[in-house]
Amino acid sequence: MIESSGAIPVVNAWNEWDTLQEVVVGSATGACFEPTEPGNRPQTRGAGAAPFPTGPKPAEAVDRANEQLAGLAALLTAQGVTVRRPSPHDFSQPVRTPAFEAENQYCAVCPRDVMITLGNEILEATMSRRARYFEYEPYRKLVYEYWDADPRVTWTVAPKPTMADAMYRQDFWEWPLEERHARMHDSEFCVTQDEVVFDAADMSRFGRDILVQESMTTNRAGIRWLKRTLEPKGFRVHPVHFPLDYFPSHIDCTFVPLRPGLVLTNPERPIRETERQMFTDNGWRLVDAPQPVLTNDDMPPYCQSSKWLSMNVLSVSPEKVICEEQEKPLQDLLYSLGFEVLTVPFRDVFEYGGSLHCATWDIRRDSTREDYFPAVSYRPAT
Ligand code: ABU
Protein backbone atom coordinates (compact mmCIF):
# COMPACT_ATOMS: atom_id res chain seq x y z
CA MET A 1 0.00 0.00 0.00
CA ILE A 2 1.44 3.35 -1.02
CA GLU A 3 1.27 6.10 1.56
CA SER A 4 1.24 9.81 1.03
CA SER A 5 4.13 11.13 3.09
CA GLY A 6 3.78 14.84 2.94
CA ALA A 7 5.24 17.58 0.83
CA ILE A 8 5.44 15.92 -2.58
CA PRO A 9 2.22 14.22 -3.74
CA VAL A 10 2.68 10.53 -4.68
CA VAL A 11 2.05 11.52 -8.30
CA ASN A 12 4.10 14.56 -9.26
CA ALA A 13 5.99 15.22 -12.49
CA TRP A 14 6.02 18.55 -14.32
CA ASN A 15 8.80 17.97 -16.79
CA GLU A 16 10.99 15.30 -18.38
CA TRP A 17 14.19 15.90 -16.39
CA ASP A 18 13.77 16.62 -12.66
CA THR A 19 15.10 14.07 -10.16
CA LEU A 20 13.23 10.82 -10.63
CA GLN A 21 11.74 9.19 -7.53
CA GLU A 22 9.22 6.63 -8.83
CA VAL A 23 8.74 5.11 -12.27
CA VAL A 24 6.87 2.32 -14.03
CA VAL A 25 9.06 0.11 -16.25
CA GLY A 26 7.21 -1.83 -18.98
CA SER A 27 7.07 -5.60 -19.39
CA ALA A 28 7.18 -7.84 -22.47
CA THR A 29 5.27 -10.67 -20.80
CA GLY A 30 2.39 -11.82 -23.01
CA ALA A 31 3.41 -9.51 -25.89
CA CYS A 32 1.97 -10.14 -29.35
CA PHE A 33 2.94 -8.96 -32.82
CA GLU A 34 1.00 -5.82 -33.68
CA PRO A 35 -1.75 -6.69 -36.16
CA THR A 36 -2.34 -4.99 -39.50
CA GLU A 37 -5.19 -2.49 -39.13
CA PRO A 38 -6.20 0.87 -40.67
CA GLY A 39 -3.89 2.80 -38.32
CA ASN A 40 -0.91 0.48 -38.70
CA ARG A 41 0.76 -1.50 -41.49
CA PRO A 42 3.59 -3.36 -39.78
CA GLN A 43 6.29 -4.61 -42.16
CA THR A 44 9.15 -7.03 -41.67
CA ARG A 45 12.42 -5.25 -42.49
CA GLY A 46 14.73 -6.43 -45.25
CA ALA A 47 14.55 -7.05 -48.98
CA GLY A 48 12.12 -9.84 -49.86
CA ALA A 49 11.18 -10.08 -46.23
CA ALA A 50 8.56 -12.53 -45.03
CA PRO A 51 5.05 -11.33 -44.18
CA PHE A 52 4.75 -9.74 -40.75
CA PRO A 53 3.95 -12.46 -38.19
CA THR A 54 0.73 -12.56 -36.19
CA GLY A 55 -0.17 -13.70 -32.67
CA PRO A 56 2.05 -14.07 -29.60
CA LYS A 57 5.76 -13.22 -29.81
CA PRO A 58 8.13 -16.20 -29.41
CA ALA A 59 9.09 -16.96 -25.80
CA GLU A 60 12.81 -16.31 -26.50
CA ALA A 61 12.09 -12.80 -27.82
CA VAL A 62 9.95 -12.04 -24.78
CA ASP A 63 12.59 -13.41 -22.40
CA ARG A 64 15.37 -11.36 -24.02
CA ALA A 65 13.34 -8.15 -23.80
CA ASN A 66 12.29 -8.88 -20.23
CA GLU A 67 15.91 -9.43 -19.25
CA GLN A 68 16.86 -5.96 -20.54
CA LEU A 69 13.79 -4.35 -18.97
CA ALA A 70 14.80 -5.99 -15.67
CA GLY A 71 18.31 -4.55 -16.18
CA LEU A 72 16.84 -1.06 -16.52
CA ALA A 73 14.70 -1.63 -13.42
CA ALA A 74 17.79 -2.74 -11.47
CA LEU A 75 19.79 0.29 -12.60
CA LEU A 76 16.99 2.65 -11.56
CA THR A 77 16.61 0.90 -8.20
CA ALA A 78 20.36 1.28 -7.62
CA GLN A 79 19.88 5.01 -8.27
CA GLY A 80 17.34 5.16 -5.43
CA VAL A 81 14.29 5.22 -7.72
CA THR A 82 11.20 3.16 -6.76
CA VAL A 83 10.33 0.92 -9.72
CA ARG A 84 6.82 -0.42 -10.35
CA ARG A 85 5.71 -2.85 -13.06
CA PRO A 86 2.46 -3.34 -15.02
CA SER A 87 -0.03 -6.10 -14.16
CA PRO A 88 -0.14 -9.21 -16.38
CA HIS A 89 -2.55 -8.91 -19.30
CA ASP A 90 -3.65 -11.43 -21.94
CA PHE A 91 -2.68 -9.60 -25.14
CA SER A 92 -3.57 -12.64 -27.26
CA GLN A 93 -7.27 -11.93 -26.66
CA PRO A 94 -8.97 -10.33 -29.68
CA VAL A 95 -10.62 -6.93 -29.26
CA ARG A 96 -14.23 -6.59 -30.31
CA THR A 97 -16.34 -3.45 -29.99
CA PRO A 98 -19.52 -2.46 -31.88
CA ALA A 99 -17.28 -0.62 -34.38
CA PHE A 100 -14.32 -2.94 -35.04
CA GLU A 101 -12.48 -6.18 -34.37
CA ALA A 102 -8.72 -6.70 -33.95
CA GLU A 103 -7.25 -10.20 -33.93
CA ASN A 104 -5.02 -9.59 -30.93
CA GLN A 105 -3.63 -6.81 -28.73
CA TYR A 106 -0.02 -5.64 -28.47
CA CYS A 107 2.00 -5.36 -25.25
CA ALA A 108 2.85 -3.43 -22.07
CA VAL A 109 6.44 -2.65 -23.01
CA CYS A 110 5.78 1.06 -23.61
CA PRO A 111 3.68 2.63 -20.84
CA ARG A 112 4.79 6.05 -22.16
CA ASP A 113 2.53 5.64 -25.19
CA VAL A 114 -0.60 5.34 -23.04
CA MET A 115 -0.03 7.06 -19.70
CA ILE A 116 1.29 10.49 -18.78
CA THR A 117 1.77 12.33 -15.51
CA LEU A 118 0.95 16.03 -15.76
CA GLY A 119 1.76 17.54 -12.39
CA ASN A 120 -0.41 15.64 -9.89
CA GLU A 121 -2.72 14.30 -12.58
CA ILE A 122 -2.62 10.92 -14.32
CA LEU A 123 -3.94 11.15 -17.87
CA GLU A 124 -4.82 8.09 -19.96
CA ALA A 125 -4.60 8.76 -23.69
CA THR A 126 -7.31 7.80 -26.17
CA MET A 127 -4.79 5.76 -28.19
CA SER A 128 -4.95 5.67 -31.97
CA ARG A 129 -4.78 1.99 -32.91
CA ARG A 130 -7.32 -0.76 -32.41
CA ALA A 131 -4.90 -3.30 -30.97
CA ARG A 132 -4.01 -0.76 -28.27
CA TYR A 133 -7.60 0.14 -27.31
CA PHE A 134 -7.38 -1.63 -23.92
CA GLU A 135 -3.69 -0.97 -23.29
CA TYR A 136 -4.50 1.11 -20.19
CA GLU A 137 -5.59 -2.08 -18.38
CA PRO A 138 -2.13 -3.28 -17.21
CA TYR A 139 -1.72 0.11 -15.46
CA ARG A 140 -5.13 0.42 -13.80
CA LYS A 141 -4.14 -1.37 -10.59
CA LEU A 142 -1.28 1.08 -10.14
CA VAL A 143 -3.50 4.04 -10.98
CA TYR A 144 -5.96 2.99 -8.27
CA GLU A 145 -3.11 2.60 -5.77
CA TYR A 146 -1.86 6.12 -6.44
CA TRP A 147 -5.33 7.60 -6.55
CA ASP A 148 -6.33 5.89 -3.27
CA ALA A 149 -3.08 6.87 -1.55
CA ASP A 150 -3.24 10.63 -1.95
CA PRO A 151 -6.28 12.91 -2.36
CA ARG A 152 -4.11 15.39 -4.26
CA VAL A 153 -3.85 12.90 -7.13
CA THR A 154 -6.37 13.36 -9.95
CA TRP A 155 -7.08 10.98 -12.81
CA THR A 156 -8.46 11.80 -16.23
CA VAL A 157 -9.39 9.32 -18.94
CA ALA A 158 -9.63 10.81 -22.43
CA PRO A 159 -12.72 9.97 -24.50
CA LYS A 160 -12.35 6.69 -26.39
CA PRO A 161 -12.66 7.16 -30.16
CA THR A 162 -14.72 4.63 -32.12
CA MET A 163 -11.71 3.48 -34.19
CA ALA A 164 -14.30 2.62 -36.84
CA ASP A 165 -13.13 2.47 -40.49
CA ALA A 166 -14.30 6.07 -41.04
CA MET A 167 -11.83 7.32 -38.42
CA TYR A 168 -8.93 6.41 -40.70
CA ARG A 169 -7.70 7.63 -44.05
CA GLN A 170 -7.49 4.21 -45.66
CA ASP A 171 -5.34 5.23 -48.66
CA PHE A 172 -2.65 6.88 -46.50
CA TRP A 173 -0.38 3.85 -46.62
CA GLU A 174 -0.40 3.81 -50.43
CA TRP A 175 0.59 7.47 -50.97
CA PRO A 176 3.81 7.54 -53.02
CA LEU A 177 6.71 9.41 -51.46
CA GLU A 178 6.27 12.38 -53.87
CA GLU A 179 2.66 12.81 -52.77
CA ARG A 180 3.71 12.52 -49.14
CA HIS A 181 6.33 15.22 -49.75
CA ALA A 182 3.79 17.45 -51.52
CA ARG A 183 1.34 17.06 -48.63
CA MET A 184 3.82 17.28 -45.79
CA HIS A 185 2.74 20.80 -44.82
CA ASP A 186 -0.90 19.67 -44.54
CA SER A 187 -0.06 17.36 -41.63
CA GLU A 188 -2.65 14.85 -42.79
CA PHE A 189 -1.87 11.30 -41.76
CA CYS A 190 -3.73 8.01 -41.31
CA VAL A 191 -6.23 9.33 -38.74
CA THR A 192 -8.89 11.82 -39.89
CA GLN A 193 -9.88 14.90 -37.89
CA ASP A 194 -13.38 13.67 -36.96
CA GLU A 195 -12.68 12.25 -33.51
CA VAL A 196 -10.36 13.05 -30.61
CA VAL A 197 -7.23 10.92 -31.03
CA PHE A 198 -3.89 11.06 -29.26
CA ASP A 199 -1.14 8.83 -27.87
CA ALA A 200 0.50 10.15 -24.69
CA ALA A 201 3.97 9.76 -26.24
CA ASP A 202 3.25 12.65 -28.62
CA MET A 203 3.42 14.97 -25.59
CA SER A 204 6.49 16.46 -23.96
CA ARG A 205 6.42 18.33 -20.63
CA PHE A 206 8.24 21.60 -19.95
CA GLY A 207 6.67 22.83 -16.67
CA ARG A 208 3.59 24.85 -17.49
CA ASP A 209 4.19 24.35 -21.22
CA ILE A 210 3.32 21.11 -22.98
CA LEU A 211 4.29 20.32 -26.56
CA VAL A 212 2.03 18.03 -28.55
CA GLN A 213 3.19 16.65 -31.89
CA GLU A 214 0.60 16.34 -34.67
CA SER A 215 1.26 12.89 -36.10
CA MET A 216 -0.06 9.55 -37.30
CA THR A 217 -1.07 8.90 -33.68
CA THR A 218 -2.32 12.37 -32.63
CA ASN A 219 -4.71 14.51 -34.67
CA ARG A 220 -5.80 18.14 -34.41
CA ALA A 221 -9.01 17.21 -32.58
CA GLY A 222 -6.83 15.42 -30.01
CA ILE A 223 -4.71 18.55 -29.57
CA ARG A 224 -7.87 20.69 -29.22
CA TRP A 225 -9.13 18.34 -26.52
CA LEU A 226 -5.82 18.58 -24.68
CA LYS A 227 -5.86 22.39 -24.92
CA ARG A 228 -9.40 22.70 -23.59
CA THR A 229 -8.80 20.15 -20.84
CA LEU A 230 -5.38 21.33 -19.66
CA GLU A 231 -5.36 25.09 -20.20
CA PRO A 232 -8.02 25.84 -17.53
CA LYS A 233 -5.64 24.01 -15.16
CA GLY A 234 -2.88 26.50 -15.95
CA PHE A 235 -0.96 24.63 -18.67
CA ARG A 236 -0.17 26.06 -22.10
CA VAL A 237 -0.47 23.50 -24.88
CA HIS A 238 1.62 24.03 -28.02
CA PRO A 239 1.03 21.97 -31.19
CA VAL A 240 4.36 21.18 -32.88
CA HIS A 241 5.33 19.80 -36.29
CA PHE A 242 8.41 18.22 -37.79
CA PRO A 243 7.58 18.47 -41.50
CA LEU A 244 10.42 16.26 -42.80
CA ASP A 245 9.16 13.29 -40.78
CA TYR A 246 6.70 11.67 -43.20
CA PHE A 247 5.60 9.02 -40.71
CA PRO A 248 5.60 10.89 -37.38
CA SER A 249 4.57 8.96 -34.30
CA HIS A 250 5.65 9.94 -30.76
CA ILE A 251 7.82 12.97 -30.07
CA ASP A 252 10.48 11.25 -27.97
CA CYS A 253 12.76 10.26 -30.86
CA THR A 254 12.57 13.75 -32.33
CA PHE A 255 12.62 16.47 -29.68
CA VAL A 256 13.94 15.45 -26.25
CA PRO A 257 14.37 18.04 -23.46
CA LEU A 258 17.28 17.21 -21.16
CA ARG A 259 17.31 20.08 -18.66
CA PRO A 260 16.08 23.68 -18.52
CA GLY A 261 17.45 25.45 -21.60
CA LEU A 262 18.55 22.34 -23.53
CA VAL A 263 16.76 20.08 -26.03
CA LEU A 264 18.29 17.15 -27.89
CA THR A 265 17.01 17.42 -31.47
CA ASN A 266 16.84 15.09 -34.44
CA PRO A 267 18.98 16.43 -37.32
CA GLU A 268 16.72 14.77 -39.91
CA ARG A 269 13.51 16.17 -38.36
CA PRO A 270 13.87 19.90 -37.68
CA ILE A 271 10.99 21.59 -35.89
CA ARG A 272 8.84 23.93 -38.01
CA GLU A 273 10.60 27.31 -38.12
CA THR A 274 7.73 29.25 -36.49
CA GLU A 275 7.64 26.75 -33.63
CA ARG A 276 11.39 26.93 -33.03
CA GLN A 277 10.95 30.60 -32.12
CA MET A 278 9.46 29.81 -28.71
CA PHE A 279 12.79 28.19 -27.82
CA THR A 280 15.11 30.76 -29.34
CA ASP A 281 13.12 33.67 -27.84
CA ASN A 282 13.59 32.13 -24.41
CA GLY A 283 17.30 31.34 -24.70
CA TRP A 284 16.99 27.55 -25.14
CA ARG A 285 19.71 25.63 -27.02
CA LEU A 286 18.67 22.98 -29.52
CA VAL A 287 21.51 20.48 -29.97
CA ASP A 288 21.40 17.87 -32.74
CA ALA A 289 21.90 14.23 -31.79
CA PRO A 290 24.68 12.40 -33.67
CA GLN A 291 23.78 9.72 -36.20
CA PRO A 292 22.68 6.52 -34.43
CA VAL A 293 24.98 3.52 -34.44
CA LEU A 294 22.41 1.46 -36.40
CA THR A 295 20.95 2.44 -39.77
CA ASN A 296 17.23 1.96 -40.37
CA ASP A 297 18.10 -1.22 -42.31
CA ASP A 298 20.07 -2.56 -39.33
CA MET A 299 17.13 -2.25 -36.93
CA PRO A 300 15.59 -5.55 -35.72
CA PRO A 301 13.37 -7.16 -38.41
CA TYR A 302 10.09 -6.69 -36.51
CA CYS A 303 10.87 -3.22 -35.13
CA GLN A 304 8.49 -0.59 -36.55
CA SER A 305 10.41 2.34 -35.08
CA SER A 306 13.28 4.23 -36.65
CA LYS A 307 17.02 4.22 -35.93
CA TRP A 308 16.30 7.33 -33.83
CA LEU A 309 15.39 5.13 -30.89
CA SER A 310 19.03 6.04 -30.18
CA MET A 311 17.91 9.40 -28.72
CA ASN A 312 15.03 7.94 -26.66
CA VAL A 313 16.96 8.53 -23.43
CA LEU A 314 15.59 8.63 -19.87
CA SER A 315 16.57 11.46 -17.52
CA VAL A 316 17.24 10.47 -13.92
CA SER A 317 17.94 14.11 -13.04
CA PRO A 318 18.98 17.33 -14.81
CA GLU A 319 22.58 16.08 -14.51
CA LYS A 320 22.15 12.35 -15.18
CA VAL A 321 20.80 10.52 -18.25
CA ILE A 322 20.38 6.83 -19.10
CA CYS A 323 21.44 6.00 -22.66
CA GLU A 324 21.46 2.72 -24.63
CA GLU A 325 24.77 0.92 -24.10
CA GLN A 326 25.93 0.84 -27.74
CA GLU A 327 25.11 4.48 -28.60
CA LYS A 328 28.65 5.76 -28.00
CA PRO A 329 28.42 8.89 -30.20
CA LEU A 330 25.38 10.08 -28.25
CA GLN A 331 27.04 9.21 -24.95
CA ASP A 332 30.06 11.33 -25.98
CA LEU A 333 27.80 14.25 -26.84
CA LEU A 334 26.00 13.97 -23.49
CA TYR A 335 29.34 13.91 -21.62
CA SER A 336 30.45 17.00 -23.53
CA LEU A 337 27.24 18.74 -22.44
CA GLY A 338 28.11 18.04 -18.81
CA PHE A 339 25.91 15.01 -18.09
CA GLU A 340 26.75 11.93 -16.11
CA VAL A 341 25.76 9.11 -18.49
CA LEU A 342 24.53 5.72 -17.27
CA THR A 343 24.16 2.95 -19.83
CA VAL A 344 22.15 -0.26 -20.18
CA PRO A 345 21.78 -2.76 -23.04
CA PHE A 346 18.33 -2.28 -24.56
CA ARG A 347 18.49 -3.44 -28.21
CA ASP A 348 16.25 -6.45 -27.52
CA VAL A 349 13.43 -4.11 -26.49
CA PHE A 350 13.50 -2.23 -29.82
CA GLU A 351 11.16 -4.62 -31.63
CA TYR A 352 8.44 -3.59 -29.17
CA GLY A 353 8.58 -0.06 -30.55
CA GLY A 354 10.60 1.83 -27.99
CA SER A 355 13.74 2.42 -26.03
CA LEU A 356 14.36 3.81 -22.54
CA HIS A 357 11.91 6.73 -22.52
CA CYS A 358 9.12 4.78 -24.25
CA ALA A 359 9.51 1.85 -21.85
CA THR A 360 8.92 3.98 -18.77
CA TRP A 361 6.24 6.17 -17.22
CA ASP A 362 7.51 8.59 -14.59
CA ILE A 363 5.16 8.81 -11.62
CA ARG A 364 7.08 11.16 -9.37
CA ARG A 365 9.95 13.57 -9.83
CA ASP A 366 11.21 16.11 -7.31
CA SER A 367 9.53 18.73 -9.39
CA THR A 368 7.50 21.92 -9.28
CA ARG A 369 5.64 23.71 -12.02
CA GLU A 370 7.93 26.34 -13.50
CA ASP A 371 7.60 28.77 -16.38
CA TYR A 372 10.55 28.06 -18.68
CA PHE A 373 9.15 30.25 -21.46
CA PRO A 374 8.34 33.67 -20.00
CA ALA A 375 8.73 35.26 -23.44
CA VAL A 376 6.20 33.04 -25.16
CA SER A 377 3.76 34.29 -27.75
CA TYR A 378 0.79 32.21 -26.82
CA ARG A 379 -2.57 31.39 -28.39
CA PRO A 380 -5.27 30.19 -25.98
CA ALA A 381 -7.58 27.26 -26.72
CA THR A 382 -10.09 27.54 -29.56
N1 ABU B 1 7.80 5.00 -30.40
C1 ABU B 1 8.74 5.94 -30.84
C2 ABU B 1 9.09 5.75 -32.30
C3 ABU B 1 9.52 7.02 -32.95
C4 ABU B 1 10.40 6.81 -34.17
O1 ABU B 1 10.41 5.75 -34.77
O2 ABU B 1 11.11 7.71 -34.55
Side-chain angles (χ1 to χ4, degrees):
M1 177 73 182
I2 307 166
E3 278 180 27
S4 155
S5 58
I8 302 184
V10 297
V11 171
N12 184 72
W14 298 91
N15 58 48
E16 306 288 339
W17 57 78
D18 273 333
T19 302
L20 190 59
Q21 296 182 333
E22 182 154 342
V23 71
V24 178
V25 171
S27 162
T29 302
C32 288
F33 288 99
E34 52 207 299
T36 295
E37 52 168 298
N40 192 16
R41 289 276 175 91
Q43 311 272 338
T44 310
R45 282 178 201 265
F52 199 76
T54 57
K57 297 257 188 190
E60 316 79 72
V62 169
D63 291 347
R64 281 198 309 270
N66 270 340
E67 197 176 312
Q68 296 196 338
L69 287 156
L72 173 63
L75 174 66
L76 287 162
T77 304
Q79 292 296 311
V81 180
T82 301
V83 176
R84 311 298 304 276
R85 306 303 296 271
S87 305
H89 182 82
D90 185 359
F91 292 98
S92 69
Q93 284 293 314
V95 180
R96 185 163 183 206
T97 77
F100 71 84
E101 285 183 40
E103 61 197 280
N104 58 256
Q105 300 170 59
Y106 185 30
C107 66
V109 173
C110 294
R112 185 77 60 182
D113 297 357
V114 194
M115 310 295 297
I116 186 164
T117 302
L118 296 164
N120 309 127
E121 175 166 343
I122 293 170
L123 172 64
E124 289 177 22
T126 68
M127 303 311 285
S128 53
R129 293 177 183 167
R130 294 172 174 177
R132 309 191 77 177
Y133 192 87
F134 288 109
E135 212 171 290
Y136 59 87
E137 285 194 342
Y139 311 107
R140 272 286 168 89
K141 187 164 173 284
L142 287 170
V143 172
Y144 269 107
E145 276 189 49
Y146 295 127
W147 189 74
D148 283 340
D150 192 334
R152 292 169 292 185
V153 174
T154 58
W155 171 24
T156 300
V157 178
K160 277 288 180 200
T162 62
M163 301 196 187
D165 285 350
M167 201 186 93
Y168 299 95
R169 200 169 274 114
Q170 304 275 350
D171 64 345
F172 170 82
W173 302 99
E174 273 77 51
W175 291 352
L177 213 54
E178 308 79 67
E179 183 176 351
R180 220 167 274 288
H181 188 262
R183 296 172 77 151
M184 71 184 183
H185 293 296
D186 301 340
S187 301
E188 292 294 348
F189 303 106
C190 50
V191 286
T192 64
Q193 303 299 336
D194 302 337
E195 297 189 51
V196 168
V197 176
F198 69 95
D199 281 7
D202 277 314
M203 303 168 76
S204 186
R205 300 157 300 171
F206 295 71
R208 64 174 297 190
D209 292 279
I210 296 172
L211 304 192
V212 190
Q213 172 183 231
E214 195 177 338
S215 71
M216 298 195 300
T217 42
T218 294
N219 65 4
R220 290 195 283 282
I223 298 175
R224 268 201 314 280
W225 185 88
L226 285 164
K227 264 182 163 296
R228 288 189 207 168
T229 304
L230 299 177
E231 290 188 343
K233 299 174 186 173
F235 290 104
R236 300 184 290 207
V237 174
H238 307 269
V240 286
H241 303 82
F242 303 88
L244 296 183
D245 187 358
Y246 299 148
F247 297 92
S249 167
H250 306 163
I251 196 170
D252 52 0
C253 292
T254 301
F255 203 78
V256 177
L258 296 174
R259 65 180 178 224
L262 181 65
V263 182
L264 184 67
T265 50
N266 183 321
E268 294 177 0
R269 302 173 181 169
I271 190 168
R272 191 180 268 178
E273 197 48 45
T274 49
E275 294 162 358
R276 169 187 286 263
Q277 206 183 327
M278 161 179 169
F279 293 88
T280 46
D281 284 356
N282 287 280
W284 281 65
R285 244 179 108 191
L286 307 186
V287 175
D288 275 346
Q291 278 296 321
V293 169
L294 299 179
T295 66
N296 280 324
D297 290 339
D298 298 329
M299 293 291 277
Y302 303 131
C303 174
Q304 301 303 297
S305 297
S306 72
K307 63 184 181 181
W308 293 107
L309 285 182
S310 63
M311 57 186 284
N312 192 249
V313 296
L314 177 68
S315 290
V316 177
S317 76
E319 297 87 30
K320 201 185 289 184
V321 180
I322 309 181
C323 188
E324 208 283 330
E325 188 180 67
Q326 295 183 41
E327 294 299 333
K328 299 275 190 246
L330 179 56
Q331 292 165 26
D332 289 343
L333 174 72
L334 293 168
Y335 288 128
S336 76
L337 291 166
F339 290 97
E340 181 182 344
V341 182
L342 307 175
T343 64
V344 276
F346 222 60
R347 294 281 200 247
D348 291 330
V349 180
F350 283 12
E351 78 165 75
Y352 301 80
S355 190
L356 298 151
H357 190 259
C358 301
T360 50
W361 162 31
D362 43 334
I363 300 298
R364 193 172 61 258
R365 291 180 182 268
D366 187 358
S367 194
T368 49
R369 186 169 77 177
E370 304 291 333
D371 185 352
Y372 300 104
F373 300 93
V376 79
S377 69
Y378 169 67
R379 284 191 299 270
T382 50

